[in-house]
Coordinates of all heavy atoms in Angstrom, one line a residue:
A250 N -151.8 19.9 98.6 CA -152.6 20.6 97.7 C -154.0 20.7 98.1 O -154.5 19.9 98.9 CB -152.5 20.0 96.3
D251 N -154.7 21.7 97.6 CA -156.2 21.8 97.7 C -156.8 20.7 96.8 O -156.3 20.5 95.7 CB -156.7 23.2 97.3 CG -158.1 23.4 97.7 OD1 -159.0 22.8 97.2 OD2 -158.3 24.4 98.5
Y252 N -157.8 20.0 97.3 CA -158.5 19.0 96.5 C -158.9 19.6 95.1 O -159.0 18.9 94.1 CB -159.6 18.3 97.2 CG -160.9 19.1 97.3 CD1 -161.8 19.1 96.3 CD2 -161.1 20.0 98.4 CE1 -163.0 19.9 96.4 CE2 -162.2 20.7 98.5 CZ -163.2 20.7 97.5 OH -164.3 21.5 97.6
R253 N -159.3 20.9 95.1 CA -159.8 21.5 93.9 C -158.7 21.7 92.9 O -159.0 22.1 91.7 CB -160.4 22.9 94.3 CG -161.7 22.8 95.1 CD -162.1 24.1 95.7 NE -161.3 24.3 96.9 CZ -161.6 25.2 97.9 NH1 -162.7 25.9 97.8 NH2 -160.8 25.4 98.9
D254 N -157.4 21.4 93.2 CA -156.3 21.5 92.3 C -156.1 20.2 91.5 O -155.2 20.1 90.7 CB -155.0 21.9 93.0 CG -155.1 23.3 93.5 OD1 -155.8 24.2 92.9 OD2 -154.5 23.6 94.5
V255 N -156.8 19.1 91.9 CA -156.7 17.9 91.2 C -157.3 18.0 89.8 O -158.5 18.3 89.6 CB -157.4 16.7 91.9 CG1 -157.3 15.4 91.1 CG2 -156.7 16.5 93.3
T256 N -156.5 17.8 88.8 CA -157.0 17.9 87.4 C -157.3 16.6 86.7 O -158.0 16.5 85.7 CB -156.0 18.7 86.5 OG1 -154.7 18.0 86.6 CG2 -155.7 20.1 87.0
E257 N -156.7 15.5 87.3 CA -156.9 14.2 86.7 C -158.4 13.8 86.8 O -159.1 14.2 87.7 CB -156.1 13.1 87.4 CG -154.6 13.3 87.2 CD -154.0 14.1 88.3 OE1 -154.6 15.0 88.9 OE2 -152.8 13.9 88.5
R258 N -158.8 13.0 85.8 CA -160.2 12.5 85.8 C -160.2 11.0 85.5 O -159.1 10.4 85.4 CB -161.0 13.2 84.7 CG -161.2 14.7 85.0 CD -162.0 15.4 83.8 NE -162.1 16.8 84.1 CZ -163.3 17.4 84.3 NH1 -164.4 16.7 84.3 NH2 -163.3 18.7 84.5
G259 N -161.4 10.4 85.5 CA -161.5 9.0 85.1 C -161.1 8.0 86.3 O -160.8 6.8 86.0
F260 N -161.1 8.5 87.5 CA -160.8 7.6 88.6 C -161.9 6.5 88.8 O -163.1 6.8 88.5 CB -160.7 8.4 89.9 CG -159.5 9.2 90.0 CD1 -159.5 10.6 89.7 CD2 -158.3 8.7 90.5 CE1 -158.4 11.3 89.8 CE2 -157.1 9.4 90.6 CZ -157.2 10.8 90.2
D261 N -161.5 5.4 89.2 CA -162.5 4.3 89.5 C -163.3 4.5 90.8 O -164.4 4.0 91.0 CB -161.8 2.9 89.5 CG -161.1 2.6 88.2 OD1 -161.8 2.3 87.2 OD2 -159.9 2.8 88.1
A262 N -162.6 5.2 91.7 CA -163.2 5.4 93.0 C -162.6 6.7 93.7 O -161.5 7.0 93.4 CB -162.9 4.2 93.9
V263 N -163.5 7.3 94.5 CA -163.1 8.5 95.3 C -163.4 8.2 96.8 O -164.6 7.8 97.0 CB -163.7 9.8 94.8 CG1 -163.4 10.9 95.8 CG2 -163.3 10.1 93.4
S264 N -162.5 8.4 97.7 CA -162.8 8.3 99.1 C -162.7 9.7 99.7 O -161.7 10.4 99.4 CB -161.9 7.3 99.8 OG -160.6 7.5 99.6
S265 N -163.6 10.1 100.5 CA -163.6 11.4 101.2 C -163.9 11.1 102.7 O -165.0 10.9 103.1 CB -164.7 12.4 100.6 OG -164.8 13.5 101.4
I266 N -162.8 11.0 103.4 CA -162.9 10.5 104.8 C -162.5 11.7 105.8 O -161.4 12.0 106.0 CB -162.0 9.3 105.1 CG1 -162.3 8.2 104.0 CG2 -162.1 8.8 106.5 CD1 -161.3 7.0 104.1
G267 N -163.5 12.3 106.3 CA -163.3 13.4 107.3 C -163.0 14.7 106.7 O -162.4 15.6 107.3
L268 N -163.4 15.0 105.4 CA -163.1 16.3 104.8 C -164.4 17.2 104.7 O -164.3 18.4 104.8 CB -162.6 16.1 103.4 CG -162.3 17.4 102.6 CD1 -161.3 18.3 103.3 CD2 -161.8 17.0 101.2
T269 N -165.5 16.6 104.6 CA -166.8 17.3 104.4 C -167.0 18.3 105.5 O -167.6 19.4 105.3 CB -168.0 16.4 104.3 OG1 -167.6 15.2 103.5 CG2 -169.2 17.1 103.6
E270 N -166.6 18.0 106.7 CA -166.8 18.9 107.9 C -166.1 20.3 107.6 O -166.5 21.3 108.3 CB -166.2 18.3 109.1 CG -166.8 17.0 109.5 CD -166.1 15.8 108.9 OE1 -165.5 15.9 107.8 OE2 -166.2 14.7 109.6
H271 N -165.1 20.3 106.8 CA -164.3 21.5 106.6 C -164.7 22.4 105.4 O -164.2 23.5 105.3 CB -162.8 21.1 106.4 CG -162.2 20.4 107.5 ND1 -161.9 21.1 108.7 CD2 -161.8 19.1 107.7 CE1 -161.3 20.2 109.6 NE2 -161.3 19.0 109.0
I272 N -165.6 21.9 104.5 CA -165.8 22.6 103.3 C -167.0 23.6 103.3 O -167.1 24.5 102.5 CB -166.0 21.7 102.1 CG1 -167.3 20.8 102.3 CG2 -164.8 20.8 102.0 CD1 -167.6 20.1 101.0
G273 N -167.9 23.5 104.3 CA -169.0 24.3 104.4 C -170.2 23.8 103.7 O -170.2 23.3 102.6
V274 N -171.4 23.8 104.4 CA -172.6 23.2 103.9 C -173.0 23.8 102.6 O -173.5 23.1 101.7 CB -173.7 23.3 105.0 CG1 -175.0 22.8 104.4 CG2 -173.3 22.6 106.2
R275 N -172.8 25.1 102.4 CA -173.2 25.8 101.2 C -172.4 25.3 100.0 O -172.8 25.5 98.9 CB -173.1 27.3 101.3 CG -174.2 27.9 102.3 CD -174.0 29.4 102.3 NE -175.0 30.0 103.2 CZ -175.2 31.3 103.4 NH1 -174.3 32.2 102.8 NH2 -176.1 31.8 104.2
N276 N -171.2 24.8 100.3 CA -170.3 24.3 99.2 C -170.5 22.9 98.9 O -169.8 22.4 98.0 CB -168.9 24.6 99.7 CG -168.5 26.0 99.8 OD1 -169.0 26.9 99.1 ND2 -167.7 26.4 100.8
Y277 N -171.4 22.2 99.5 CA -171.7 20.8 99.2 C -172.0 20.6 97.7 O -171.4 19.7 97.1 CB -172.9 20.2 100.0 CG -172.6 19.9 101.5 CD1 -171.3 20.2 102.1 CD2 -173.5 19.2 102.2 CE1 -171.1 19.8 103.4 CE2 -173.3 18.9 103.6 CZ -172.1 19.2 104.1 OH -171.8 18.9 105.4
P278 N -172.9 21.3 97.1 CA -173.1 21.1 95.7 C -171.9 21.1 94.8 O -171.6 20.2 94.0 CB -174.1 22.2 95.3 CG -174.8 22.5 96.6 CD -173.8 22.4 97.7
A279 N -171.1 22.2 95.0 CA -169.8 22.3 94.2 C -168.9 21.2 94.5 O -168.2 20.7 93.6 CB -169.2 23.7 94.4
Y280 N -168.8 20.8 95.8 CA -167.9 19.7 96.2 C -168.3 18.4 95.6 O -167.4 17.8 94.9 CB -168.0 19.6 97.7 CG -167.1 18.5 98.3 CD1 -165.7 18.6 98.2 CD2 -167.7 17.5 99.0 CE1 -164.9 17.6 98.8 CE2 -166.9 16.5 99.6 CZ -165.5 16.5 99.5 OH -164.8 15.6 100.0
F281 N -169.5 18.0 95.7 CA -169.9 16.7 95.1 C -169.9 16.8 93.6 O -169.6 15.7 92.9 CB -171.2 16.3 95.7 CG -171.2 15.9 97.1 CD1 -171.9 16.6 98.1 CD2 -170.3 14.9 97.5 CE1 -171.8 16.2 99.4 CE2 -170.2 14.5 98.8 CZ -171.0 15.2 99.8
R282 N -170.2 17.9 93.0 CA -170.1 18.1 91.5 C -168.6 17.8 91.1 O -168.4 17.1 90.1 CB -170.5 19.5 91.1 CG -170.6 19.7 89.6 CD -171.1 21.1 89.3 NE -172.2 21.5 90.2 CZ -172.1 22.6 90.9 NH1 -171.1 23.4 90.9 NH2 -173.2 22.9 91.7
F283 N -167.7 18.4 91.8 CA -166.3 18.3 91.5 C -165.9 16.8 91.6 O -165.2 16.3 90.7 CB -165.4 19.1 92.4 CG -163.9 19.0 92.2 CD1 -163.3 19.9 91.3 CD2 -163.2 18.1 92.8 CE1 -162.0 19.8 91.1 CE2 -161.8 18.0 92.6 CZ -161.2 18.8 91.7
L284 N -166.3 16.1 92.7 CA -165.9 14.7 92.8 C -166.5 13.8 91.8 O -165.9 12.9 91.3 CB -166.3 14.2 94.2 CG -165.6 14.9 95.4 CD1 -166.0 14.3 96.7 CD2 -164.1 14.9 95.2
R285 N -167.7 14.1 91.4 CA -168.4 13.3 90.4 C -167.6 13.5 89.0 O -167.5 12.5 88.3 CB -169.9 13.7 90.2 CG -170.6 12.8 89.2 CD -172.1 13.3 89.1 NE -172.8 12.3 88.3 CZ -172.9 12.4 87.0 NH1 -172.2 13.4 86.3 NH2 -173.6 11.6 86.2
E286 N -167.2 14.7 88.8 CA -166.4 14.9 87.5 C -165.1 14.2 87.5 O -164.5 14.0 86.4 CB -166.2 16.4 87.4 CG -167.5 17.2 87.0 CD -167.2 18.7 87.1 OE1 -166.1 19.1 87.6 OE2 -168.2 19.5 86.8
R287 N -164.6 13.8 88.6 CA -163.3 13.1 88.7 C -163.5 11.6 88.4 O -162.5 10.8 88.2 CB -162.6 13.2 90.1 CG -162.6 14.7 90.5 CD -161.3 15.4 90.1 NE -161.1 16.1 88.9 CZ -161.8 17.1 88.4 NH1 -162.9 17.5 88.9 NH2 -161.4 17.8 87.3
L288 N -164.7 11.1 88.5 CA -165.0 9.7 88.4 C -165.4 9.3 86.9 O -166.0 10.1 86.2 CB -166.2 9.3 89.3 CG -165.9 9.1 90.8 CD1 -167.2 9.1 91.6 CD2 -165.1 7.9 91.1
R289 N -165.1 8.0 86.6 CA -165.7 7.4 85.4 C -167.1 7.0 85.6 O -167.5 6.9 86.8 CB -164.8 6.2 84.9 CG -164.8 5.1 86.0 CD -164.3 3.8 85.4 NE -164.1 2.7 86.4 CZ -165.1 1.9 86.7 NH1 -166.4 2.1 86.3 NH2 -164.9 1.0 87.6
D290 N -167.8 6.7 84.6 CA -169.2 6.1 84.8 C -169.0 4.8 85.5 O -168.1 4.0 85.3 CB -169.8 5.8 83.4 CG -170.4 7.1 82.8 OD1 -170.4 8.1 83.5 OD2 -170.8 7.1 81.6
E291 N -169.9 4.5 86.4 CA -170.0 3.4 87.3 C -168.9 3.5 88.4 O -168.8 2.5 89.3 CB -169.9 2.0 86.6 CG -171.0 1.8 85.6 CD -170.9 0.4 84.9 OE1 -170.6 -0.6 85.6 OE2 -171.1 0.4 83.7
G292 N -168.1 4.6 88.5 CA -167.2 4.8 89.6 C -168.0 5.1 90.9 O -169.1 5.6 90.8
R293 N -167.3 4.9 92.0 CA -168.0 5.0 93.3 C -167.3 6.1 94.2 O -166.1 6.3 94.1 CB -167.9 3.7 94.1 CG -168.6 2.5 93.3 CD -168.6 1.3 94.2 NE -169.0 0.1 93.4 CZ -169.2 -1.1 93.9 NH1 -168.8 -1.3 95.2 NH2 -169.6 -2.1 93.2
L294 N -168.2 6.7 95.0 CA -167.7 7.7 96.0 C -168.2 7.2 97.4 O -169.3 6.8 97.6 CB -168.3 9.1 95.7 CG -168.3 10.1 96.9 CD1 -166.8 10.5 97.2 CD2 -169.1 11.3 96.6
L295 N -167.2 7.2 98.3 CA -167.5 6.9 99.7 C -167.3 8.2 100.5 O -166.1 8.7 100.6 CB -166.7 5.8 100.3 CG -167.0 5.2 101.7 CD1 -166.5 6.1 102.8 CD2 -168.4 4.9 101.8
N296 N -168.3 8.8 101.0 CA -168.2 10.0 101.9 C -168.4 9.7 103.3 O -169.5 9.1 103.7 CB -169.2 11.1 101.4 CG -168.9 12.4 102.0 OD1 -168.0 13.1 101.5 ND2 -169.6 12.8 103.1
H297 N -167.4 10.0 104.1 CA -167.4 9.6 105.6 C -167.2 10.9 106.3 O -166.2 11.6 106.2 CB -166.2 8.6 105.8 CG -165.8 8.4 107.2 ND1 -165.7 7.1 107.7 CD2 -165.3 9.2 108.2 CE1 -165.2 7.1 108.9 NE2 -165.0 8.4 109.2
C298 N -168.2 11.3 107.1 CA -168.1 12.6 107.8 C -169.0 12.6 109.1 O -170.0 11.9 109.2 CB -168.5 13.7 106.9 SG -170.2 13.9 106.5
I299 N -168.6 13.5 110.0 CA -169.4 13.8 111.2 C -170.6 14.6 110.8 O -170.6 15.4 109.9 CB -168.5 14.6 112.2 CG1 -167.3 13.8 112.6 CG2 -169.4 14.9 113.5 CD1 -166.3 14.7 113.4
T300 N -171.7 14.2 111.4 CA -173.0 14.8 111.1 C -173.8 15.2 112.4 O -173.5 14.7 113.5 CB -173.9 13.9 110.3 OG1 -174.1 12.6 111.0 CG2 -173.3 13.6 108.9
R301 N -174.8 15.9 112.2 CA -175.8 16.2 113.3 C -176.9 15.2 113.2 O -177.1 14.6 112.2 CB -176.4 17.6 113.1 CG -175.4 18.8 113.4 CD -176.1 20.1 113.3 NE -175.3 21.2 113.5 CZ -175.0 21.7 114.7 NH1 -175.5 21.1 115.8 NH2 -174.2 22.7 114.9
P302 N -177.7 15.0 114.3 CA -178.8 14.1 114.3 C -180.0 14.6 113.6 O -181.0 14.0 113.6 CB -179.0 13.8 115.8 CG -178.5 15.0 116.5 CD -177.4 15.5 115.7
D303 N -180.0 15.9 113.1 CA -181.1 16.4 112.3 C -180.5 17.3 111.2 O -179.3 17.4 111.1 CB -182.0 17.3 113.2 CG -181.3 18.5 113.8 OD1 -180.9 19.4 113.0 OD2 -181.1 18.6 115.0
N304 N -181.4 17.8 110.3 CA -180.9 18.5 109.2 C -181.3 20.0 109.2 O -181.4 20.7 108.2 CB -181.5 17.9 107.9 CG -181.1 16.5 107.7 OD1 -179.9 16.2 107.2 ND2 -181.9 15.5 108.0
Q305 N -181.5 20.5 110.4 CA -182.1 21.8 110.6 C -181.1 22.9 111.1 O -181.4 24.0 111.1 CB -183.3 21.8 111.6 CG -184.4 20.9 111.1 CD -185.5 20.7 112.2 OE1 -185.6 21.5 113.1 NE2 -186.2 19.6 112.1
H306 N -179.9 22.4 111.6 CA -179.0 23.4 112.2 C -177.6 23.2 111.7 O -176.7 22.7 112.4 CB -179.0 23.1 113.7 CG -180.3 23.2 114.4 ND1 -181.1 22.1 114.6 CD2 -181.1 24.2 114.8 CE1 -182.3 22.4 115.1 NE2 -182.3 23.7 115.3
P307 N -177.3 23.7 110.5 CA -176.0 23.6 109.9 C -175.0 24.5 110.7 O -175.4 25.5 111.3 CB -176.1 24.0 108.5 CG -177.3 24.9 108.5 CD -178.2 24.3 109.5
G308 N -173.7 24.2 110.6 CA -172.7 25.0 111.2 C -172.3 24.6 112.6 O -172.8 23.6 113.2
L309 N -171.4 25.3 113.2 CA -171.0 25.2 114.6 C -171.1 26.6 115.3 O -170.9 27.6 114.6 CB -169.6 24.7 114.7 CG -169.3 23.3 114.3 CD1 -167.8 23.0 114.2 CD2 -169.9 22.3 115.3
P310 N -171.5 26.6 116.6 CA -171.6 27.9 117.2 C -170.3 28.7 117.1 O -169.2 28.2 117.4 CB -171.9 27.6 118.7 CG -172.4 26.2 118.6 CD -171.8 25.5 117.5
S311 N -170.3 30.0 116.6 CA -169.1 30.8 116.4 C -168.4 31.1 117.7 O -167.2 31.3 117.7 CB -169.4 32.1 115.6 OG -170.3 32.9 116.4
R312 N -169.1 31.1 118.8 CA -168.5 31.3 120.1 C -168.2 30.0 120.9 O -167.8 30.1 122.0 CB -169.4 32.2 120.9 CG -169.4 33.7 120.5 CD -170.4 34.5 121.3 NE -170.1 34.5 122.7 CZ -169.2 35.2 123.4 NH1 -168.4 36.0 122.7 NH2 -169.1 35.1 124.7
G313 N -168.5 28.9 120.3 CA -168.3 27.6 121.0 C -166.8 27.2 121.1 O -166.0 27.7 120.3
F314 N -166.5 26.3 122.0 CA -165.2 25.9 122.2 C -164.6 25.2 121.0 O -163.4 25.5 120.6 CB -165.2 24.9 123.4 CG -163.9 24.1 123.5 CD1 -162.8 24.7 124.0 CD2 -163.8 22.8 123.2 CE1 -161.6 24.0 124.2 CE2 -162.7 22.0 123.3 CZ -161.5 22.7 123.8
I315 N -165.3 24.4 120.3 CA -164.8 23.6 119.1 C -164.4 24.6 118.0 O -163.3 24.5 117.4 CB -165.8 22.6 118.6 CG1 -166.0 21.5 119.6 CG2 -165.3 22.0 117.3 CD1 -164.8 20.6 119.8
N316 N -165.3 25.6 117.8 CA -165.0 26.5 116.7 C -163.8 27.4 117.0 O -163.0 27.7 116.1 CB -166.2 27.4 116.4 CG -166.1 28.2 115.1 OD1 -165.4 29.2 115.1 ND2 -166.8 27.8 114.1
R317 N -163.7 27.8 118.3 CA -162.6 28.8 118.6 C -161.3 28.1 118.9 O -160.2 28.8 118.8 CB -163.1 29.6 119.8 CG -164.3 30.5 119.5 CD -164.0 31.6 118.5 NE -163.2 32.6 118.9 CZ -163.6 33.7 119.5 NH1 -164.9 33.9 119.7 NH2 -162.8 34.7 119.9
Y318 N -161.3 26.9 119.3 CA -160.0 26.2 119.7 C -159.6 25.0 118.9 O -158.5 24.6 118.8 CB -160.1 25.8 121.2 CG -160.0 26.9 122.1 CD1 -161.1 27.6 122.6 CD2 -158.7 27.3 122.6 CE1 -160.9 28.6 123.5 CE2 -158.6 28.3 123.5 CZ -159.7 29.0 123.9 OH -159.5 30.0 124.8
V319 N -160.6 24.4 118.2 CA -160.2 23.1 117.5 C -160.4 23.2 116.0 O -159.5 23.0 115.3 CB -161.1 22.0 118.1 CG1 -160.7 20.6 117.5 CG2 -161.0 21.9 119.6
F320 N -161.6 23.4 115.5 CA -161.9 23.4 114.1 C -162.5 24.8 113.7 O -163.7 25.0 113.6 CB -162.9 22.4 113.8 CG -162.4 21.0 113.9 CD1 -162.9 20.1 114.8 CD2 -161.4 20.5 113.0 CE1 -162.5 18.8 114.9 CE2 -160.9 19.2 113.1 CZ -161.4 18.4 114.0
P321 N -161.6 25.8 113.4 CA -162.1 27.1 112.9 C -162.9 26.9 111.6 O -162.5 26.1 110.7 CB -160.9 27.9 112.7 CG -159.8 27.2 113.5 CD -160.2 25.8 113.6
D322 N -164.1 27.5 111.5 CA -164.9 27.4 110.3 C -165.5 26.0 110.1 O -166.0 25.8 109.0 CB -164.1 27.9 109.1 CG -163.8 29.4 109.1 OD1 -164.5 30.1 109.9 OD2 -162.9 29.8 108.4
G323 N -165.4 25.1 111.0 CA -166.0 23.8 110.8 C -167.5 23.9 110.7 O -168.1 24.8 111.4
E324 N -168.1 23.0 109.9 CA -169.6 23.0 109.8 C -170.1 21.6 109.7 O -169.5 20.8 109.1 CB -170.0 23.8 108.5 CG -169.8 25.3 108.6 CD -170.3 26.0 107.4 OE1 -171.4 25.6 106.9 OE2 -169.7 26.9 106.9
L325 N -171.2 21.4 110.4 CA -171.9 20.1 110.4 C -173.4 20.2 110.1 O -174.0 21.3 110.4 CB -171.8 19.4 111.8 CG -170.4 19.2 112.4 CD1 -170.6 18.5 113.8 CD2 -169.5 18.4 111.5
T326 N -173.9 19.2 109.4 CA -175.4 19.2 109.2 C -175.8 17.7 109.3 O -174.9 16.8 109.5 CB -175.8 19.8 107.9 OG1 -177.2 19.9 107.9 CG2 -175.3 19.1 106.7

Side-chain angles (χ1 to χ4, degrees):
D251 192 297
Y252 75 89
R253 289 164 286 196
D254 292 330
V255 175
T256 59
E257 294 92 332
R258 295 176 181 249
F260 288 96
D261 300 283
V263 174
S264 50
S265 172
I266 306 175
L268 178 58
T269 318
E270 300 91 331
H271 297 288
I272 66 170
V274 176
R275 291 183 180 180
N276 295 324
Y277 282 7
Y280 178 65
F281 289 119
R282 186 182 316 128
F283 180 90
L284 297 185
R285 187 177 184 277
E286 289 170 353
R287 311 269 90 57
L288 284 166
R289 63 167 174 82
D290 283 349
E291 300 183 43
R293 300 182 187 182
L294 165 67
L295 187 287
N296 194 80
H297 166 125
C298 69
I299 302 171
T300 57
R301 291 184 179 275
D303 63 66
N304 298 282
Q305 301 173 19
H306 305 94
L309 290 169
S311 61
R312 286 176 56 81
F314 168 73
I315 294 292
N316 191 285
R317 296 297 288 270
Y318 282 93
V319 185
F320 290 116
D322 292 338
E324 294 186 35
L325 305 179
T326 189

